[in-house]
């Protein structure tokens, strides 16, 4: 897969927390964690499970820099 | 500063590329790079410069997982 | 703090509504209200409470104009 | 028009800055300014001009709170 | 209404799923479905109901291409 | 590839417009067009070209409904 996205992090799903409509998935990426929120339906369609190797993508436009 | 944002990465600005309206800022975060796009005005107001220590923030909702 | 974000509004948190995964925070900004949605974890980590003075940030790219 | 968007601000376009692909539109909203970035094509299709009365919309999920 | 948004799809609401804070609305667009997530408050303010004719908007910046 | 994203459209790239920092890619999807904006670097890394078969993804949270 090639994606038009600047920021990518490979990691492993370490936690999934399901709500009524939205779910939160936490990914271990080296020493850091990255958290993604998606609909429950997206979670189920993709079949994400704790332990899965995944890539976390975020477009450059969604990154805010502060100093 | 406390921010209502799940994902944070501390790093150093290594490159700034200015366009007509938008600028692209690349941040070295450990062995990875994170890229942010913002308006030129935001870049100038914040005064970001190569070598600055910054924190890159992105909300969990903006992270897409793929496997 | 300096942030690479165009739009900022200073106000006071007037309401917090917690869901299972996501929370909604309403901020009084002069005569207007601004609403933010974040994960419960972000809410708790930042320690937002009713009455807190906060700044609401949104990038220019996330603003849609209609006429 | 009814829109599924929490945050709305009525104002007047005070400045338009066109780039190669993206344009920046600044809207005067009371004493504040709100800036929107869109493609040049969206700008032209909507026919936005300085002096137009517009509504600026942003979803709650795109608002970051900091304190 | 004229909106500064590239992508538009006219369709009919076929399903609404309400959570505690967020709701998910599914729109039939020809042979495809488009799903939108918004706050319950936005859903109620706009008064969206199954069977309503709606337009789904998404800015070009929020579209990720993969191949 | 499995992605945690609700909205997907398969199509063919019909136009690419390059700016200084950002590029705009138009995809023909049946009778409709979908437009994506990304950094030039993302465009080049993914190697998108006119005629490529691509999938356009957008998260449900980025879809605004109006009626």
């Amino acid at each position: 897969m090639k994606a038009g996205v600047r920021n990518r992090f490979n990691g492993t799903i370490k936690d999934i927390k399901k709500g009524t409509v939205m779910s939160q998935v936490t990914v271990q990426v080296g020493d850091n964690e990255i958290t993604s929120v998606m609909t429950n339906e997206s979670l189920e369609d993709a079949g994400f499970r704790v332990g899965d190797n995944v890539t976390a993508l975020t477009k450059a436009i969604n990154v805010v820099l502060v100093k």
Side-chain angles (χ1 to χ4, degrees), chain A:
Chain A
M1 182 206 60
K2 299 203 169 183
V5 178
R6 268 305 62 200
N7 301 301
R8 291 151 205 245
F9 306 91
N10 298 311
T12 306
I13 295 178
K14 64 177 282 196
D15 188 58
I16 295 175
K17 186 176 155 191
K18 262 181 104 163
T20 332
V21 169
M22 305 299 279
S23 292
Q24 177 179 322
V25 180
T26 307
V27 179
Q28 190 73 38
V29 177
D31 293 338
N32 294 308
E33 281 179 14
I34 292 185
T35 301
S36 171
V37 169
M38 68 194 74
T39 59
N40 293 351
E41 290 182 7
S42 283
L43 182 81
E44 287 154 17
D45 279 8
F48 293 129
R49 279 184 173 66
V50 171
D52 281 357
N53 294 318
V54 292
T55 302
L57 307 172
T58 194
K59 293 190 73 163
I61 200 75
N62 291 323
V63 176
V64 172
L65 296 187
V66 297
K67 71 171 182 180

